Amino acid sequence: MPSISSFEKNADFKGSSFSTETTLSTDDQPDEVFARKAGYAPVPRSYGGVWRNARSTFYGGMDAAGTMSGACGYGNLYASGYGVHTTALSSALFKNGMACGACFEVQCGGKGKPCKPGSVVVTATNFCPPNPGQSANNGGWCNPPNEHFDLSYPAFVKIADPKAGAVPLQYRRVPCQKQGGIRFTINGNCNFILVTITNVGGSGVVTAAYLKGDKTEWSPLSRNWGANWQCRRNYCGQGISIKIVTSDNKVSVTKLAKSDWCFGKTFIGKQV
């Protein structure tokens, strides 16, 4: 099966320039620069297209409770807008979290049993770690360089009989269809702000984020981990606005709250 790098070399991707709505220097684009250095250009110009080969297992139960939270930091996937059709990705696809929020259409890659007809769209919300003690074809499904999807149970049963355990898979990137606006959950204190960004449409992948107070200019946030972005600037007592850039070069700018905002709340922003 092809590696992510060979997939990208043969695909047609957008460049890394930002929307004309926002002009940013390279120094202000830490996550975008990291993405380019990692060789990870997540979004093709046209979604869909050629199916790529991978393999799939599943984890958790029918209610998907066992898939909550995960390496992307989305927390409760019901509350954050991702539902039960999600997947953990092997390191070849996860790319140190750069694939968090990406949406894939997947279908069973075999013929007859245990495959089922049709496909399902899943969102990348977790990491499937390698298991060096097992063969890549027998328990070490997520070992490099395997491209592997560890689907939630509800997603897996859409395309295959769960009694099979593991099946060949075909996948392709698709745009994320989300209900409502982007969600920004703000935690921390006046000296440290942590923003969890969820329910992102389009490419689903956030590559840069910025905060602005009524008395300050735009300042870049750095990725803490997964969907969590941080800064050490004091925005207490100021109205705040947020700007995000996604990997398909879309920009969302939202005035989140007036000066009486408080930590621990989720604010709804403009969808990309």
Side-chain angles (χ1 to χ4, degrees):
M1 65 185 68
S3 66
I4 190 76
S5 57
S6 62
F7 167 36
E8 291 171 25
K9 289 177 182 177
N10 295 323
D12 189 13
F13 291 102
K14 279 191 174 181
S16 57
S17 60
F18 288 93
S19 163
T20 54
E21 180 180 342
T22 305
T23 302
L24 304 169
S25 70
T26 302
D27 291 340
D28 289 335
Q29 304 167 23
D31 222 59
E32 183 73 8
V33 171
F34 174 78
R36 290 200 300 270
K37 288 182 177 178
Y40 185 62
V43 181
R45 285 200 178 101
S46 59
Y47 291 97
V50 177
W51 291 91
R52 304 291 168 177
N53 294 322
R55 199 163 181 85
S56 177
T57 49
F58 66 90
Y59 72 116
M62 188 49 128
D63 63 357
T67 66
M68 293 297 107
S69 192
C72 290
Y74 291 125
N76 186 308
L77 299 179
Y78 302 127
S80 56
Y82 295 99
V84 298
H85 293 157
T86 61
T87 186
L89 299 176
S90 63
S91 55
L93 292 168
F94 190 70
K95 289 293 180 179
N96 294 320
M98 295 304 298
C100 287
C103 294
F104 299 86
E105 182 182 11
V106 299
Q107 64 182 17
C108 193
K111 295 181 179 180
K113 295 181 179 180
C115 289
K116 298 179 181 179
S119 63
V120 63
V121 174
V122 295
T123 305
T125 60
N126 204 355
F127 173 56
C128 182
N131 184 359
Q134 299 292 330
S135 164
N137 294 316
N138 185 22
W141 307 112
C142 292
N143 292 352
N146 284 3
E147 294 187 356
H148 191 87
F149 288 72
D150 197 14
L151 298 173
S152 66
Y153 186 97
F156 189 90
V157 297
K158 290 280 187 180
I159 62 169
D161 184 342
K163 292 181 181 178
V167 296
L169 187 82
Q170 293 182 318
Y171 73 94
R172 58 186 180 182
R173 281 293 303 273
V174 293
C176 298
Q177 304 293 333
K178 299 301 179 185
Q179 298 295 317
I182 299 172
R183 301 173 187 177
F184 301 93
T185 302
I186 303 180
N187 287 296
N189 54 59
C190 290
N191 297 312
F192 177 81
I193 290 181
L194 188 69
V195 184
T196 305
I197 305 174
T198 60
N199 201 50
V200 181
S203 78
V205 177
V206 178
T207 56
Y210 305 82
L211 273 181
K212 180 183 182 301
D214 289 341
K215 303 174 184 177
T216 61
E217 298 301 318
W218 288 108
S219 295
L221 305 181
S222 60
R223 190 189 295 272
N224 183 288
W225 62 282
N228 295 286
W229 297 75
Q230 69 178 39
C231 73
R232 295 186 180 277
R233 195 162 188 171
N234 190 342
Y235 290 95
C236 291
Q238 299 185 63
I240 51 173
S241 299
I242 194 162
K243 173 166 54 184
I244 68 164
V245 183
T246 55
S247 60
D248 49 358
N249 301 320
K250 293 181 179 178
V251 178
S252 171
V253 181
T254 302
K255 177 64 180 288
L256 283 187
K258 297 181 180 179
S259 59
D260 59 351
W261 65 274
C262 60
F263 293 100
K265 289 191 175 182
T266 298
F267 304 90
I268 306 298
K270 180 182 176 183
Q271 190 59 263
V272 293

